[in-house]
Structure formats: structure tokens, C-alpha cells
Amino acid sequence: MMTAASQNPSDKSARFLKLLIFMMFATFAMTTDSVGTIIPDVIREFRLGMTAAGSFHYASMSGIGIAAILLGFLADRIGRRGSILMGLVLFCVTSALFAAGNSFGLFVVLLFVSGLGIGIFKAGALALIGDISASTREHAANMNLVEAFFAVGAIVGPALVSLLLENGTSWKWLYLIAAALCGLLILGTILAPFPRPQTSDEEKADPRDAARMLGDPYALFFALMLMLYVAAEAAIYVWAPTYFAGYDGPNAALAAFVVAIFFALRAVGRFLGAWLLARMDWTMVLAICSCAMAVLFWIATAGGRPVAVFALPATGLFMSVLYPTINSTGISCFEKSRHGSIAGFLLFFTCVGAVAAPLAMGAVGDLMGTSDYSMALGGAFATLLAILCLWNLFRQPVADRLARRNEQDYGGGAPVPAPPQTVPRPAA
């Protein structure tokens, strides 16, 4: 029987924790979402093909995925603070080590290890969002705000890389800046007042939780949705710079900023998404946005680069609400004492999509001798997601489970105030 051993923190503490989580997501987004801007320079510097150069993306996503599936349970076992600190320290150290490297192989290893750190602290942060939310609806709104700050980092990172390269400075400075910011986040995590986590009297979290979730249709349903989403998203932020490389047609000057515009619209859309979810059913929001995204992909594919220069970045406005809403709703389908485990499980499948899809796109581009087919493959993934979201709208497969969890975990949405745990150590 689960006991509500923890309650929501005070408003002041919750605001500080939200700010801390916002900055965590913005900081690691600066690095993970800059790879598309870095890859063309890496291709030239190390004379690589698209598939090999894509290792800059595959390495970090693989690390995140492995940590999520094997270590996501740590957020439930040692507490949110402990898992967040562990991941932040690992991410900080590996980012700082970029200053000492000059070989492609070393960079790939560092990206993989930094991905492990991201996977650990992200699972803890995602579980913490549930702890400081007062209902499943508020959970989805909070997740959209968190992902909005992720989108801000995703704008700043590529822009910073472009500025560094234009001034003849190495892109490695991006990782050194991220390491410095991460040091501040470590200090904030040590000092922050964390809520006491809910615990289960039946069993403690362990790595087998992920294996058990493989048999849960709700977990698999949201995992599939996330895989399709990141597959479509990766087509733009990983391969769009390569797709537009050398383009000198209409609006060629705009092509250089396609990824930046995409991330800017995605950031705006996530703030808008939090507003929409407070007024519309989440299934309707997902259906509308996923269909609009798929249509824009096919418009870009049919019109070629002159049209794609407008259509591809415009997908960001509709993609914005998809990931945080799918992720938060999937997590909300499980009791709070397992939020770390389910967050890690979903993050793993997110990374599977983020690795497999760009790899397939790079391989198709190499095979066909053009990245046009990479964008078409992204459109196929977007279409599959739209179909799944429409099915979700009309069948409402998780409505009963969400209502049950909202009642049991949040008391129907009414938060119960309690003083936070102020001792700066991992919660047991």
C-alpha cells in the first residue's frame, strides 16, 4: 500500500525548484541540440560522411538512453536530490574535459559519458516535477514550461556555436560554458529545499522496474509516441543544416537560420502549449498539433528547399507541445513513488528514437547521395505520430487511468501543503 509520505513543498520552495529544473534543461539543451550546427564543421575537419559525423548525436543520445533505462530508478531509490547531483557532476566534468581533446574518437567518448550524466539527472528532474505539481493537468502544464526553457537553451546553443565559428573560435567553448553553468546548478541543488518523496511499503525501486514496464501497455503506448516524435524532430535539428548546406536559391540567407528559427518557434509554442492545456483536453491538443506538423513536413518535401526553408522551421510551433505533453501524461499514469522509473523508461525510448532515426536518415542520405530523402523519412515518422494521436483522441485509452492517478496521487487536484525537507542531503 502506498503512503503519502510526502507532500507538495511550499510555494516559495516550489518556485525555486522549478527555476532550478528550468536551468538544468536549458543548460544541457545548449549542448545536445547544437550538434546539427557542429556536424558540418566536424565533417570538414575530420573528413567524415554523414553517418560517421552523426556520431556526435548518437553518442550523447545513447548515453542518455542507457542511463535512463538502467539508472532511472535511482531517483526513486536514493531520492531526487541524490540522482540529480550525481548526474550533474558527471555532466560537468565531461563537458570541461572537451578543452583537453583534439581527436574525434575522444569527443565521441566524452559525449557518451556526458549523456550518461544527463540521463541520470534528467530522470531525477522529471520525477521532481511530479512531486511539485498539484494535479495531472498541472503536471502537463509544468512540463511544457520546463520544455520551453529547454527550447531556450536549444536556441542559445546553436546561435553560440555559429558565433564562435564565425569568429574563428572552436566550438569546444560551448562545452566549457556548459560546464561552468553546471557548476552553479550543482551548488543550487545542494542548497535547495526538496520535498520528501513518496515511498512504497511494498518494494523499493530497482533496475528491474524498467523490465516490468515492458509488459505495461500504458508505458509502451507513450514510449512509441515519444519515439515517433523525436524521430521527426531529429530530421530538422540534426540534418536540416546539412540539407540546406550550399543552398543558394530563393531566401538562401534564411536557410542559415532554419534551426534557430525552428527552436525559437518551438520555445514560443511551449509557452503557448501550457496555456492551451489549461483550456483544452490534452488529446485534442496532440491531435491538432501532430497533424499540422505532418502536413508541413510533406509541404516541405513536395516544394523542395525554396518551400522547405519556411515549412520546416514552422513545424517547431506545432512540435512544441507534443513532447512535454506526451511525456508528462505518460509519467502521470503511474504512482508518484515510481515517477523516477517511468521517467527513465520513457527517456530511454526517446533516446532510441533520437539515435535510430538520425542514423537511418544519415544512411539513406549517404545511399541516395542526397539529404532530400532524409527529410522525407522525417515526414513519414511525423505522419505515423499523427495517426497515433488521432487514435488516442477518438479512443481515449488512458482516460480512466489518469483519473484514478489524479485522485490517488493528488487528491483530485487539491494540493496538501507541508514543510519541505531543508537538510541539504539526498532523500532516503
Side-chain angles (χ1 to χ4, degrees), residues 128-182:
L128 182 59
I129 294 169
D131 293 345
I132 60 179
S133 298
S135 67
T136 55
R137 178 181 288 270
E138 183 182 331
H139 190 183
N142 282 336
M143 191 73 83
N144 270 274
L145 288 174
V146 168
E147 292 294 339
F149 280 85
F150 177 93
V152 170
I155 296 169
V156 172
L160 182 57
V161 171
S162 296
L163 183 63
L164 290 171
L165 295 177
E166 287 175 7
N167 288 278
T169 307
S170 174
W171 50 263
K172 291 190 294 182
W173 275 98
L174 172 72
Y175 293 91
L176 299 180
I177 293 170
L181 292 174
C182 195

Side-chain angles (χ1 to χ4, degrees), residues 82-93:
S83 61
I84 290 173
L85 278 175
M86 183 185 301
L88 285 176
V89 169
L90 192 57
F91 177 67
C92 183
V93 171

Side-chain angles (χ1 to χ4, degrees), residues 2 5 47 81 97 116 132 165 189 279 282 291 351 355-356 382 396-397 416:
M2 186 177 299
R47 299 180 181 179
R81 190 199 308 272
L97 286 175
L116 293 176
I132 60 179
L165 295 177
T189 302
R279 291 160 177 80
W282 68 278
C291 288
C351 293
V355 172
Q396 298 286 329
V416 182

Side-chain angles (χ1 to χ4, degrees), residues 172-222:
K172 291 190 294 182
W173 275 98
L174 172 72
Y175 293 91
L176 299 180
I177 293 170
L181 292 174
C182 195
L184 296 177
L185 291 173
I186 291 171
L187 180 62
T189 302
I190 292 173
L191 299 177
F194 276 58
R196 296 182 180 89
Q198 287 191 347
T199 58
S200 172
D201 294 332
E202 295 177 357
E203 59 183 19
K204 290 187 177 295
D206 62 48
R208 292 172 296 178
D209 275 1
R212 285 190 286 266
M213 287 178 186
L214 285 171
D216 190 301
Y218 294 93
L220 291 174
F221 173 68
F222 287 102

Side-chain angles (χ1 to χ4, degrees), residues 5 70 95 153 215 402:
L70 296 180
S95 295
L402 275 178

